[in-house]
Amino acid sequence: MEEIKGALALIGYGLAAIGPGVGIGIVVGNAIQAMARQPEAAGMARTTMFLGIAFTEALALIGFVLFFIA
Amino acid sequence: MKWRSRVLLLGLAVMAIAVAIYSTSIPEAHECDTAKEIICAPTNVVELFEHKEALFSMGPFDVTRTVFLIFLATLIVVAALYFAFRTPKIVPGKFGVVMESMVSFVRDDVAKGTIGPDGGRYAPYLLAVFLLVLVGNLFELLPLINFPITSRMAIPAMLAVFTWVIFVFVGFAKNGFAYVWGIIWPKSVPLGLRWLVGLIEFVSTFLLRPITLAVRLFANLVAGHLMLTLLLASGWLFFSSAGEIGARALIGVPWFAFGLLIFAFEFVVIVLQAYIFTLLSAVYIQTSVHPEH
Amino acid sequence: MLQLTAPMMFLGPFVEEPSEPEGIDLLLPASSELIAGLLAFGIIFLFVWKWVLPMVDKRLEARQQAITGQLTAAETTKHEAESLLADYKQQLAKAREEANRIVEEARRAAEALRTDVVGKAGSEAESIVRKAHEEVAAERQRAAGAIRDEVASLSLDLARRVVGSSVDAKAQKKLVDQYIAELEELKA
């Protein structure tokens, strides 16, 4: 029972990581596009990119917490 | 050029010692059956992070290894700042330049750049957060320490709570009750959805912000420490039992190589997480100083 | 497994710990570490607030002042150098002019000297030639006189010997002169 629970937690975390993974990819890709298009605004784009990553990552973090709790 | 190569050599030596310590630090290593398993996981992950036995006690207060490391981090931060800014030198040395650029980065780029011209008021808090988190993170890779104190929930949680208190307090001080009202009743959203968006905003602002802020730092450092231990120790366990298992010891090669890669990658994570924690604190304060932006 | 009861949430670390450490333990801050963290952060925050940032400000200010001072010093030095350069240029021009003038003067003096010398030499040569001519003429006259006397005495002697008698010397000379004049006439 205990092992099944652990395996389920693993799968759950894996599923929880899909969305943020895709999201971070989109955020970074668009940030790179913005930087390439306007190199003079690269600093701003980079800061905003980190912010976007941080917010997107929150979902994966909640999954991480649940993995430990479950 | 000579100076640079010396620093590089020193860094490589430090890295080698840290890797060696990671490689031999997995608990209950003898239980790993390298003849059957393909990776040696620690039997209990939590034991990698919990140091319950007290090194010594100060009255009712037990000084565990983690507590000792927290005080060591404080000492390092204070000493570094003291030696960098001891004299009002006009032309600082190399160390002074590094510390100065760090201070001016947090104060000018993060505090003033994010919050605005009056962001200098929050610079001491943000700088203290940045330095404590940075040194706490760096402990992950420092040999003989090899344990990030930010992978214990205490410090991320404490700092997140401080940030939460500051941005809530500033929000009320600057905007009065309109601060909370602006969050749960956003004027820019159509009336039908307003209550829903308001609820989500309320939860995300007052509950999820501090939790994610703390957990982001904590989780990154836990994951990093775990990966390093797992990979490097697995590699080492396979190598060291080569006499008994023969060619199977080669299984350790990819683990060890991957561990070295992660070791280098952790440098990036360490600095980035310290930066993101500080930046997000600044952004949260900024949304309270200037709401609706 | 999930023991998320209220006392656990707030007093987690104080609750009697389970024999086997659980994942949830990682997520709850340990009280001793919290206290240590509070102390540590307090120390760092106060140090940064009361000492580091004022020191950084002071240093930046000192640097700015130093830079401003150096800039003004450089400015004055530059001005000085510029005026000095102008001075030098002026002096150089003056010196060149002077040199030109001196050279011109010298040339003129040399020219004058040359014409002078040449003129003097010409006149000297002329005078020498003239003196020589005069001397030659005088010499010739003197020689002619001497010859004439000689001839007169010779002829007198001759005549005395021929005549055997003394002839009046005065008349004799008169005769000779007459004779010579006739000779000269004849010659002419």
Side-chain angles (χ1 to χ4, degrees), chain B residues 44 46 49 61 66 74 78 81 84-87 89-90 92 100 107 124-125 152-154 158-159 162 218, chain C residues 17 20-22 26-27 29 32-33 37-38 40-41 44-45 47-49 51 53 55-57 59-60 63:
Chain B
N44 193 323
V46 180
F49 298 95
F61 186 66
T66 314
T74 316
V78 171
L81 287 171
F85 299 110
R86 180 175 36 169
T87 50
K89 271 180 293 189
I90 286 167
E100 209 169 274
R107 184 173 61 172
Y125 173 71
R152 301 291 293 144
M153 201 51 179
M158 175 190 73
L159 296 179
F162 280 158
F218 157 80
Chain C
E17 59 195 68
E20 181 82 347
E22 302 270 352
L26 280 186
L27 288 173
S32 63
E33 288 162 22
L38 275 171
F41 185 74
I44 293 176
F45 175 66
F47 188 64
V48 166
W49 185 29
W51 192 80
L53 287 176
M55 272 317 252
V56 172
D57 280 342
R59 185 184 277 195
L60 286 181
R63 192 171 302 161

Side-chain angles (χ1 to χ4, degrees), chain A residues 14-38:
Chain A
L15 289 175
I18 293 174
V22 174
I24 290 174
I26 292 171
V27 169
V28 176
N30 284 330
I32 290 170
Q33 266 192 357
M35 283 185 224
R37 217 172 271 163
Q38 280 174 293

Side-chain angles (χ1 to χ4, degrees), chain B residues 212-226:
Chain B
T212 55
L213 191 61
V215 170
R216 175 176 301 110
L217 181 61
F218 157 80
N220 271 288
L221 273 298
V222 165
H225 186 60
L226 211 53

Side-chain angles (χ1 to χ4, degrees), chain C residues 153-167 172:
Chain C
S153 66
L154 264 178
S155 60
L156 197 62
D157 271 356
L158 200 66
R160 199 179 283 155
R161 234 173 270 158
V162 170
V163 178
S165 62
S166 74
V167 181
Q172 192 70 26

